[in-house]
Amino acid sequence: MQNTENQTPKVSVIVPVYGVEKFVEHCAVSLMEQTLDGIECIFVDDCSPDNSVDIIRDIISRYPDRDARIVSHSRNCGLPAARNTGLGLATGKYVFHCDGDDWIEPDMLEKMYAVAEKSQADIVYCDFYLSYEKNERYMSNLCLESGEELLRQGFLSGAVKYNVWNKLVRRRLYTDNGIVFPDGHSMGEDMTMIRLTACADRVKYLPEALYHYIQTNTAAFSKTQSAKQLTDIQYNVNETVSFLRGKFGDGIEEDIKNFKLSIKFPFLISDKREQYRLWEEWYPEANANVLANKRLSFRSRFLQWMASKHLWTGVRLYHLIVYKIVYRLLYR
């Protein structure tokens, strides 16, 4: 329902919009039909070149009791800038990010808000689905109770994904700590969640998949990155590491090594030699932690161990069997 005058929204939902006309109707409807009242939905049009905004405008008109609006950039600024525009307009107690090509379960925000209020958590996170054309894959998380546990044992170890879109965050974490998304550096912008978690006291895990992360291209496992994307990732890693060292000092160094291993791990999800070369070149100082990080699955550690020993035929064979054959048969 629409918020009454002078009443603080419970949740501000921020939706960046760019080139998502095939999916945005499902996304917007899933937000408009949330069972929680007191939501404000902010759709940020980053100069989308298609009909996405017209579709959203039509859907908003069908739900006049919802507090929903569209704001538009005068030029294309990128995903982090769109998220920052939404943050600058948000007035809710909590912030939730939803990408314009994804969708959420109708009771997602009600459940997450209830957990946050009951436990007085700064961050609530849940499981999610990887949604393919014909089926879905359930992605579960670890149950961790404090911000430092989620940071070290979850995000930095690589055991929990630091995506922004399956997490409800107390807005004060952004404002009190001056945390914003890295304008101009889109790749790796989810690392902002690491900073937020480093500033959080209590976190809470909701063991239920409520977010549907759309996977439209199963070949994405083997995609290569542009020079700009690689530069963006390294920029965000450097900024994140600097923030963590400033907050935790030398006691965070082993966790930073694990973090760097997780950053370059996707280079191994490939059969291309240039990707393997990037794994070798990026953060070699972290390689000593390949087998020490017990939070990762044995398969992930074994794959990185093979890379550290330059057993590239084994890495390539693993990719062929697991990603090219098994995953494509199970998830498509």
Side-chain angles (χ1 to χ4, degrees):
M1 297 296 179
Q2 190 171 12
N3 303 313
T4 58
E5 188 176 0
N6 297 324
Q7 181 178 357
T8 300
K10 296 173 181 174
V11 179
S12 295
V13 181
I14 299 170
V15 187
V17 177
Y18 185 85
V20 289
E21 67 176 3
K22 287 177 59 179
F23 310 99
V24 77
E25 180 174 6
H26 197 177
C27 173
V29 169
S30 76
L31 295 173
M32 295 299 103
E33 296 189 350
Q34 286 295 296
T35 55
L36 180 68
D37 61 359
I39 300 172
E40 66 171 356
C41 292
I42 305 169
F43 295 90
V44 183
D45 169 28
D46 193 29
C47 292
S48 186
D50 56 12
N51 294 317
S52 296
V53 174
D54 291 335
I55 293 169
I56 296 168
R57 187 175 292 113
D58 176 66
I59 291 168
I60 289 176
S61 70
R62 301 180 211 165
Y63 298 86
D65 291 333
R66 276 294 184 198
D67 179 1
R69 62 194 187 275
I70 301 168
V71 295
S72 298
H73 287 167
S74 59
R75 59 182 178 84
N76 177 252
C77 299
L79 181 57
R83 295 202 197 280
N84 287 336
T85 294
L87 281 175
L89 297 171
T91 59
K93 185 174 183 179
Y94 300 92
V95 170
F96 177 75
H97 294 273
C98 182
D99 286 350
D101 49 359
D102 300 332
W103 61 280
I104 66 177
E105 291 293 322
D107 55 356
M108 179 177 189
L109 296 181
E110 181 178 11
K111 287 181 174 179
M112 297 190 82
Y113 178 82
V115 169
E117 288 291 282
K118 182 179 179 179
S119 63
Q120 288 301 293
D122 292 315
I123 298 173
V124 178
Y125 64 106
C126 68
D127 298 337
F128 60 95
Y129 292 104
L130 295 179
S131 299
Y132 298 87
E133 184 176 351
K134 296 181 180 179
N135 52 30
E136 293 189 305
R137 180 184 177 189
Y138 191 107
M139 305 298 290
S140 59
N141 280 300
L142 298 177
C143 181
L144 301 166
E145 295 287 335
S146 72
E148 189 164 347
E149 283 184 349
L150 181 57
L151 175 71
R152 292 175 181 263
Q153 300 176 34
F155 295 160
L156 298 182
S157 75
V160 177
K161 303 298 182 187
Y162 43 82
N163 319 92
V164 298
W165 37 252
N166 66 327
K167 299 169 183 72
L168 188 73
V169 178
R170 191 180 299 273
R171 186 167 63 90
R172 184 166 49 79
L173 279 187
Y174 288 97
T175 57
D176 286 1
N177 298 287
I179 295 175
V180 295
F181 289 87
D183 195 352
H185 302 277
S186 293
M187 289 297 290
E189 50 94 26
D190 278 357
M191 293 178 207
T192 303
M193 184 56 63
I194 294 176
R195 297 192 191 192
L196 292 165
T197 305
C199 299
D201 292 323
R202 185 168 177 78
V203 303
K204 202 70 177 176
Y205 169 51
L206 178 57
E208 188 174 348
L210 300 169
Y211 192 96
H212 296 259
Y213 181 43
I214 301 301
Q215 304 289 293
T216 58
N217 180 15
T218 54
F221 290 123
S222 60
K223 278 186 177 178
T224 56
Q225 300 83 14
S226 69
K228 172 65 165 63
Q229 289 172 325
L230 293 173
T231 299
D232 281 354
I233 293 171
Q234 291 186 312
Y235 172 88
N236 285 319
V237 169
N238 292 340
E239 291 295 303
T240 301
V241 167
S242 177
F243 182 90
L244 292 173
R245 284 173 173 158
K247 191 167 184 65
F248 296 100
D250 294 340
I252 200 72
E253 287 304 316
E254 290 304 305
D255 298 291
I256 287 174
K257 290 179 182 178
N258 291 336
F259 173 53
K260 289 177 176 179
L261 282 175
S262 73
I263 290 297
K264 64 179 186 172
F265 180 79
F267 294 143
L268 302 180
I269 313 304
S270 171
D271 56 1
K272 296 180 173 58
R273 185 66 184 91
E274 58 266 29
Q275 295 289 99
Y276 301 160
R277 179 179 54 78
L278 287 171
W279 190 93
E280 290 181 307
E281 292 176 353
W282 281 37
Y283 314 122
E285 71 277 10
N287 293 353
N289 279 31
V290 162
L291 294 180
N293 185 4
K294 303 301 183 182
R295 287 285 174 177
L296 285 183
S297 68
F298 172 78
R299 288 191 306 161
S300 297
R301 284 182 287 143
F302 181 63
L303 185 59
Q304 297 220 59
W305 175 82
M306 285 195 293
S308 70
K309 299 299 182 181
H310 311 291
L311 300 174
W312 299 116
T313 299
V315 173
R316 188 175 290 108
L317 184 61
Y318 180 95
H319 176 264
L320 173 65
I321 294 172
V322 175
Y323 291 97
K324 291 284 191 178
I325 299 176
V326 176
Y327 279 13
R328 286 194 177 185
L329 287 175
L330 293 176
Y331 309 113
R332 55 182 180 175

